[in-house]
Amino acid sequence: MDTIKIGVAGLGRLGLIHAHNIAGMKGVELTAVSNLDNTVNQQTKEKYDISYTYTAYEDMIQNEELDAVCIVTPSGFHPDHIYKALRKNLHVFCEKPIGLDINEVRNMIPVIEQSNKVFHLGFMRRYDADYMYAKDMIDRGDIGEISIIRSYGLDPIEGLDSFVKYAAKNTSGGIFSDMSIHDIDIIRWYTGSEIKQVWAMGNNKAAPSLSELNEVDIGTATMKLENGAIAFVAAGRTANHGYHVETEVIGTEGMLRIAATPDKNKVTVFDNNGVIRPTSQNFAERFRESYVKEIEEFVRCIRNNDKPEVNAWDGLRSTEVAAACQTSLEEERLVEIQYER
Ligand SMILES: NC(=O)c1ccc[n+]([C@@H]2O[C@H](COP(=O)([O-])OP(=O)(O)OC[C@H]3O[C@@H](n4cnc5c(N)ncnc54)[C@H](O)[C@@H]3O)[C@@H](O)[C@H]2O)c1
């Protein structure tokens, strides 16, 4: 296969980043984009010299030149968009989650597995150098057996107002499916074990209006894993200092912490405000390189007929846990997760 031709669906916050990365990659061509807002399509076409633009996703996947699609549309569309792309024999990179409805996600597993096309789910933390370094340490046994994992994902508070407006018109799937799903994936990846019990709580101190929309601005869950380990996740939309992602792993022979402070870089400022470490301001900045690496891995898998490490089962299991957290939050009870194996 010579140049791999990719179409990006959805040119929003993250879609524009994927489009930019794909356009700059060797051996790959950003051949088409589809997005509801045609102005953004035209701007993107001009910026990257793209051959085709579409407002309808369904029209883009009819393009016979395409080898693959990168789906970055709102999460509720993902199952339909994945299904249609695989039916057109296209390789699929899809942003997390596979979908918002568990049964829909479950039904996608045989569709994806029987397609013989590459399917890669966008859990970008797995391609972050620090998370990978920690994973190697854990796999080598450097910190012994994992007892506890604590993992946070906090969005900057400056995005809260726009989230409130967004939540009023759409469904994000709830804070666990939208945000904690990354922490859930890391817990499963690091421990190699499934989560069997969750107890979730949340509140709306910063945005009380979210209560009417069945959303919370802070969500937490305590979890028990099948191997006996314990996990605690917290997701929020209220970080005043920037974009805060942090994970701590306590093992029987040591502990490690990834990004204890969400540093922007290695600069420390000493001035009349004290000692200051500049902070990452958004996901695009914090995970800039991971978004490139995950698409490179997707392309490598297409070329070598390989299977990506992050697959449909990771998508299903993480969604099952996120949904259990949502149930626990709404029904104020411990939820046992029953997996169909
Ligand atoms: N991995 C991460 O770090 C991360 C970060 C942000 C978002 N995401 C995921 O990426 C996806 C998109 O999120 P976002 O924040 O970029 O959303 P967004 O609302 O900013 O953008 C969505 C875009 O999709 C377009 N769109 C909607 N329906 C479409 C359709 N049928 N066909 C073509 N385009 C369509 C809209 O015009 C919009 O431009 C979500 O699934 C989200 O969960 C992942």
Side-chain angles (χ1 to χ4, degrees), residues 8-18 33-37 40-41 54-58 71-78 80-81 94-97 100 122-125 166 170 172 177-179 181-182 243 283-284 287 291 294:
V8 172
L11 295 176
R13 293 184 312 161
L14 186 52
L16 284 170
I17 294 169
H18 281 310
V33 289
S34 77
N35 185 58
L36 298 186
D37 182 343
V40 181
N41 283 341
Y54 305 88
T55 45
Y57 172 77
E58 286 72 13
I71 299 171
V72 209
T73 50
S75 305
F77 289 110
H78 292 180
D80 183 50
H81 288 175
C94 182
E95 260 313 318
K96 61 78 190 160
L100 297 177
F123 278 135
M124 80 300 187
R125 280 196 212 172
Y166 168 83
N170 287 279
S172 69
S177 176
D178 195 32
M179 296 185 68
I181 200 155
H182 287 293
Y243 174 70
F283 61 81
F287 289 107
Y291 294 124
E294 64 182 358

Side-chain angles (χ1 to χ4, degrees), residues 185-243:
D185 181 61
I186 289 295
I187 291 164
R188 295 183 58 252
W189 189 45
Y190 278 1
T191 60
S193 182
E194 298 298 346
I195 293 158
K196 66 172 190 175
Q197 281 178 342
V198 300
W199 196 327
M201 295 178 194
N203 62 37
N204 272 323
K205 299 270 185 212
S209 62
L210 283 176
S211 305
E212 290 153 30
L213 306 168
N214 204 25
E215 290 269 5
V216 287
D217 62 45
I218 291 278
T220 68
T222 302
M223 306 174 172
K224 187 164 184 185
L225 279 72
E226 287 176 349
N227 72 359
I230 298 162
F232 177 75
V233 300
R237 307 188 188 277
T238 61
N240 282 271
H241 54 291
Y243 174 70

Side-chain angles (χ1 to χ4, degrees), residues 286-298:
R286 168 63 180 85
F287 289 107
R288 184 183 292 124
E289 280 135 36
S290 319
Y291 294 124
V292 175
K293 280 197 197 136
E294 64 182 358
I295 298 289
E296 283 174 350
E297 174 62 2
F298 174 56

